[in-house]
Amino acid sequence: MVTMATSPPFQAVLDRIAEEIEQLPGRGRPADYIPALAALDPRRFGMAVAEPDGAVYGVGEWRQPFSTQSVTKVYTLALDLAREGDALWEHVGREPSGNPFNSLVQLEYENGIPRNPFINAGALVVTDRLHTRTGNAAGALLDFLRAESGNPELSFDKEVAASETAHGDRNAALAHFMASYGNIGNPVPVLLDQYFRQCSIDASCADLALATGFLARHGIGADGSRLLTRSQAKQVNAVMLTCGTYDAAGDFAYRVGLPGKSGVGGGIIAVVPGRCTLCVWSPGLDERGNSVAGVAALDRFTTLTGLSVF
Ligand code: DON
């Protein structure tokens, strides 16, 4: 269910944030290693807040679909955790990496076990395991996002997936390297196809704020069914807080104080457990791959509302 702006506090806060972001001097640069994303104007901006009951408020381009990219790593983690539980943690860690999201360096020292599920190596492991369990990891993800957002029109962006496939040497290297340690179960080309399709899904701030609601509802999905145990919802939120923005996770926790997950399409989702979920989009990135205006907007949200996990 989508409700237009009827909550004065959230809508007023969003309107004020949009005015402030308009004045923000530097916006960073769109991801250029995925050519299909490179042409986006870094001044574009949208933000949505969803309440646990499905009411959603927004400002700017909050209904504009954008490339979700690594934001999807939260949902594949949740889908796999729901299926295999703690056994997952034998194959991927849950410590911050302190390294860029696409780094290879720790993998050899740590025997092909990635530090966490949100760096690319860890996300590849999660998607591989989800693919083994479902036979179609990207399809399971898309079904999940459609159901939780209430938007049946969400879909893969074939151009973005093809663009990444054509420039995917680093992800291919990560997958082959982990396969050499026995930590990838599917053929690497099959896994990469699933992973690039996963990352190519387009969705809007409204869609993602709603689709993330299960993490504010302690594991309960949009239709009232349980997707994760309360403890697993806590675990996903905790890994988002410590690892969701890569080597900037400390700064994100300091500035925003919420579990959050970024993507190189310029989206960031964030969770205020029990209270609301947020999604902000602006395609200009900092050097660590996080949206400059997105982090600034979330920083202002928690400052203006006092809503944070601390
Ligand atoms: O695999 C990649 O490099 C991209 N499809 C996703 C990376 C990403 O979004 C990192 N987030 N900030």
Side-chain angles (χ1 to χ4, degrees):
M1 179 191 72
V2 174
T3 305
M4 297 301 283
T6 52
S7 164
F10 279 149
Q11 191 61 49
V13 169
L14 289 175
D15 292 343
R16 179 165 168 190
I17 291 170
E19 281 171 26
E20 292 184 11
I21 292 298
E22 187 63 32
Q23 312 301 321
L24 195 70
R27 295 294 186 103
R29 296 178 41 211
D32 53 10
Y33 78 103
I34 304 174
L37 302 180
L40 289 167
D41 179 354
R43 295 204 64 80
R44 298 182 72 175
F45 175 81
M47 186 169 184
V49 180
E51 292 179 317
D53 67 359
V56 58
Y57 313 97
V59 73
E61 296 188 69
W62 65 298
R63 298 228 181 253
Q64 169 66 44
F66 61 87
S67 191
T68 56
Q69 297 294 324
S70 288
V71 171
T72 59
K73 293 171 182 173
V74 170
Y75 312 114
T76 47
L77 172 63
L79 288 169
D80 192 71
L81 209 49
R83 285 165 174 78
E84 70 168 315
D86 283 349
L88 170 65
W89 303 118
E90 291 166 29
H91 302 272
V92 59
R94 44 179 193 254
E95 292 293 346
S97 71
N99 277 313
F101 63 83
N102 55 4
S103 173
L104 288 138
V105 294
Q106 279 167 342
L107 270 182
E108 183 161 22
Y109 295 119
E110 299 179 1
N111 301 317
I113 309 285
R115 271 288 171 103
N116 67 67
F118 295 151
I119 53 174
N120 285 7
L124 285 161
V125 168
V126 172
T127 298
D128 177 62
R129 301 184 73 75
L130 184 62
H131 191 61
T132 299
R133 272 161 192 78
T134 60
N136 185 357
L141 169 65
L142 186 60
D143 289 347
F144 172 87
L145 288 175
R146 286 175 172 169
E148 293 302 306
S149 68
N151 183 357
E153 289 175 10
L154 296 186
S155 60
F156 303 113
D157 184 326
K158 291 195 175 74
E159 187 198 338
V160 170
S163 184
E164 241 198 307
T165 303
H167 297 84
D169 291 333
R170 188 169 275 261
N171 283 315
L174 288 167
H176 280 294
F177 195 64
M178 292 188 292
S180 78
Y181 285 94
N183 200 20
I184 295 294
N186 292 284
V188 167
V190 170
L191 169 58
L192 291 174
D193 176 59
Q194 289 290 319
Y195 174 77
F196 292 141
R197 285 204 286 143
Q198 159 184 342
C199 292
S200 81
I201 293 174
D202 285 332
S204 70
C205 291
D207 295 326
L208 293 184
L210 287 166
T212 311
F214 71 104
L215 290 177
R217 293 186 295 263
H218 306 292
I220 302 294
D223 66 357
S225 62
R226 183 163 284 287
L227 299 173
L228 294 179
T229 66
R230 192 180 175 102
S231 178
Q232 287 170 330
K234 176 207 70 181
Q235 292 163 0
V236 174
N237 277 320
V239 181
M240 287 170 71
L241 181 76
T242 53
C243 310
T245 45
Y246 312 108
D247 42 341
D251 192 56
F252 187 85
Y254 175 87
R255 290 180 64 188
V256 177
L258 292 175
K261 181 75 205 78
S262 62
V264 291
I268 308 177
I269 56 170
V271 184
V272 187
R275 188 64 200 271
C276 65
T277 45
L278 300 114
C279 181
V280 58
W281 172 64
S282 184
L285 309 179
D286 61 23
E287 62 284 357
R288 284 146 164 184
N290 301 313
S291 169
V292 172
V295 176
L298 292 169
D299 178 342
R300 291 303 294 149
F301 179 86
T302 53
T303 302
L304 290 168
T305 62
L307 291 172
S308 106
V309 294
F310 300 110

